[in-house]
Amino acid sequence: MNSNLPFQSQNLSGWGRYPSLTCRVFRPERGRDLDALAGVLPRGMGRSYGDAALDEIGGVAIMPRMNRLLAFDDEDGLLEAEAGLSLAEVGDLFMARGWFLPVTPGTKFVSLGGAIAADVHGKNHHVDGCLSRHVEGLELLTVDGNRHWCSRTDNPEWFLATIGGLGLTGTITRVKLRLMRIPGPWLKVQHHAAPNLERVFQMLSDSSVTEPYTVAWIDCLASGKNLGRSVFMTGEHIEANRSGGDLLLGPGLKVPFDLPSWILNPVGLRAFNALFYRLQGYKTKPFLSDFDSFFYPLDKIGSWNRIYGKKGLIQYQCVLPEACSFEGMTRILEAISAAGAASFLAVLKRMGDSGEGMLSFPMPGFTLALDLPFRGESTLNLTQRLDELVLRYGGRINLCKDACLAPASFRGMYPKFGDWLRIKAELDPKWVLNSALARRLQLDRGL
Amino acid sequence: MRKTLILGATSLVAERAALKLAGPGASFVLAARDLEACRAAAANLGLRTGARTQAMAFDATDTSSHSAFLDRVIAFLGGLDLVIILTGAMGEDPASLDPRIALPILQTNFIGLVSILGLVATQLETQGHGSIVCAGSVAGDRGRQSNFVYGSAKGGLALYLQGLRNRLSAKGIRVITMKFGFLDTAMTFGKRGIFAAASPEAAGTRLVNALDKGSDIVYYPGFWRLIMFIIRLIPEPIFKRMKL
């Protein structure tokens, strides 16, 4: 592309550190810098895992300096901000005023624009949907250099192609997001031990659970009768203070678990996962947790992705439709367990409605996410086997975490890809705006 | 609370310095040529700190507008306690012999500032209190073939500020010259020959600290004071043959 803006050549990767590519990096500081970068792939905070925010040909525009607050309505919680603003900053700035993100992913080091382009979800997906559900609108800088307001009423198709569109429809420059009123920074959390997969499915599906946040940490190294052994966790915002009233601040739950790096070997991992199950699963009483510990346990460990070494990791996240979820997850967990490939606890979660975006990941059913330390060919073979299972059960892979999916499998998983392509052709017929992910999945070749 | 005018308010150093200075009750006019970027900076400052903020357009080269501009600033703020000037631009070639390129560099970095600084100084002198912080550059410490047009503007500005400091000190009015070395901004990002670039946050903090301390001329990062001291010591017969 164009642009007289200075750039730096950097070796870049996603959070999984695989793959790694040398890209030209642009760093806009204000609105008119962005105009010069129309057609360059936007990259938020680099927390997508694979190759979604890499472009070794056109370069990437990183957004940490486009983080200004533009407006906030204290009555209805409507926040307008530049898209480089991080969720961490939103939390820090608005928690004290009684507002919080209506949906948050498992890390707060994500930009608003990146969160929308990846159509992220959180522990409350089954009730509150994706973050994008709470986005009133966004400004899209398209390849031709024009800016367009996109929402459910203005340019609705462009809006739906941009949500989950992985930055390929243009640069999200401004966002209007409705925050949620909360009573304070505290959550009431409860853990339940689930000795096997069947039990954790029951817990995740239990309609009498009223807490909006539910998730299960699952031990992917367990097998046989222990397959799917999990700790099911629920959480809800409550009015409390540090003394907690009836609730005690969970001991050791400032960080729910400490993660020493020496644990990264097969024996250590197995022991760690088993210990976690014992300690966390048998906390019978509800306890008090601050929002950072509850929503972002891994953020406290800093660059935890580095413990997998230079080769990095693949974060494998799939979702399977409700009806065949149990059978499918059993097969998937068996395959992972047999390969002895998983490391730390994985996350199992029930999902609600399908995402609105044409390339949104969520669908009603269950989603599993886990880290696979990257070991070259054997890891790629495993993900390919898993992809086949996911396809067979009618599920899909989360693109913002993916680094391995094959073009044909992608097409089998994303039925609205044709709609998305039509919009892409409208906005960028020559595929000026591209990414390593788009090339890998051959998105420009059409259906 | 403090009433502050910032010129060149869309520079990242200005934005960060303003965040350090601001708090509920403080008020700011953020001015620069790019009014839209000023509006974003002003909204951001107000929402993050609770300060009262206003964006205004300011063009250093349009000197005929300066008097009316300052009147509007003072009307909004209800007074004037602090003026921070961070305008400036290298231009397309900071060592050009082409008058069409060289003269605008002087307009932006020197003549325009002499205009607004004079008006500001008159105001502060009349009211008998206030402070001025103005960005110079290490480029103004010695004429070098790589940037001497820009450098001469900054050097002239430094002399002007020195004289102004001399005049206003009797009234207790501070004039601080900030001499920035490399900062990690769009001006230096990815360029060759840049080393130890300081973050705009740190530069903004240093600027605010200079107000609290008694400094007159501040080099930031601080080691530039030593570098420029040495460069100034080199005898001209040797210096003229050097490539700097």
Side-chain angles (χ1 to χ4, degrees), chain B residues 89-129:
Chain B
M90 290 247 220
E92 51 183 298
D93 177 4
S96 176
L97 297 181
D98 182 344
R100 286 167 301 182
I101 295 172
L103 295 184
I105 294 176
L106 294 185
Q107 292 280 355
T108 312
N109 293 291
F110 184 52
I111 294 167
L113 298 191
V114 168
S115 163
I116 189 69
L117 274 165
L119 296 170
V120 164
T122 305
Q123 171 68 26
L124 300 190
E125 198 170 43
T126 312
Q127 71 190 31
H129 76 274

Side-chain angles (χ1 to χ4, degrees), chain A residues 88-237:
Chain A
E89 279 199 279
V90 175
D92 289 347
L93 292 165
F94 291 97
M95 180 61 75
R97 307 183 200 185
W99 298 94
F100 192 55
L101 298 155
V103 166
T104 179
T107 173
K108 61 182 173 179
F109 301 118
V110 169
S111 68
L112 283 173
I116 293 166
D119 203 19
V120 299
H121 61 272
K123 294 179 170 74
N124 54 344
H125 184 266
H126 60 295
V127 281
D128 293 313
C130 292
L131 183 66
S132 60
R133 187 189 285 180
H134 310 273
V135 171
E136 302 262 306
L138 53 86
E139 185 184 69
L140 187 69
L141 172 67
T142 46
V143 171
D144 57 14
N146 291 316
R147 291 165 185 251
H148 312 269
W149 188 252
C150 301
S151 69
R152 288 172 187 82
T153 46
D154 304 304
N155 303 308
E157 286 201 314
W158 296 0
F159 183 69
L160 298 180
T162 300
I163 290 173
L166 301 166
L168 293 167
T169 57
T171 301
I172 300 170
T173 53
R174 234 171 359 116
V175 174
K176 276 190 187 176
L177 172 70
R178 196 172 295 280
L179 301 183
M180 169 180 72
R181 265 263 182 237
I182 50 157
W186 300 102
L187 290 110
K188 180 180 158 188
V189 180
Q190 175 128 37
H191 288 182
H192 308 265
N196 55 44
L197 192 63
E198 191 173 0
R199 192 70 194 100
V200 75
F201 261 74
Q202 282 167 6
M203 288 174 172
L204 283 166
S205 312
D206 186 349
S207 59
S208 71
V209 173
T210 55
E211 290 88 344
Y213 303 108
T214 64
V215 69
W217 288 74
I218 181 167
D219 177 0
C220 286
L221 294 172
S223 56
K225 66 177 172 47
N226 290 331
L227 188 80
R229 178 169 71 179
S230 308
V231 179
F232 174 65
M233 305 172 179
T234 64
E236 62 183 323
H237 295 283

Side-chain angles (χ1 to χ4, degrees), chain A residues 2 5 12 159 161 238 258 280 286 305 327 339 373 405:
Chain A
N2 58 73
L5 275 188
L12 278 189
F159 183 69
I238 57 162
D258 283 301
Q280 301 297 331
N305 56 337
E327 190 193 325
L405 194 63

Side-chain angles (χ1 to χ4, degrees), chain B residues 138-229:
Chain B
V138 296
D141 280 11
R142 189 150 193 180
R144 287 176 287 147
Q145 62 178 318
S146 60
N147 65 4
F148 62 94
V149 176
Y150 175 74
S152 64
K154 286 294 191 181
L157 180 64
L159 280 183
Y160 180 92
L161 291 167
Q162 209 168 34
L164 193 62
R165 182 180 306 119
N166 192 199
R167 170 172 174 155
L168 296 180
S169 72
K171 293 264 169 80
I173 294 164
R174 305 267 315 274
V175 177
I176 300 169
T177 310
M178 294 289 301
K179 293 193 178 179
F180 291 117
F182 294 141
L183 300 179
D184 181 22
T185 63
M187 209 190 260
T188 59
F189 187 69
K191 295 244 173 81
R192 276 168 204 272
I194 303 294
F195 56 90
S199 75
E201 284 81 4
T205 304
R206 184 67 188 89
L207 190 157
V208 173
N209 289 345
L211 277 170
D212 299 333
K213 294 184 189 166
S215 346
D216 296 317
I217 298 173
V218 177
Y219 282 82
Y220 187 81
F223 64 82
W224 281 96
R225 183 182 290 276
L226 179 64
I227 292 182
M228 296 321 295
F229 176 72

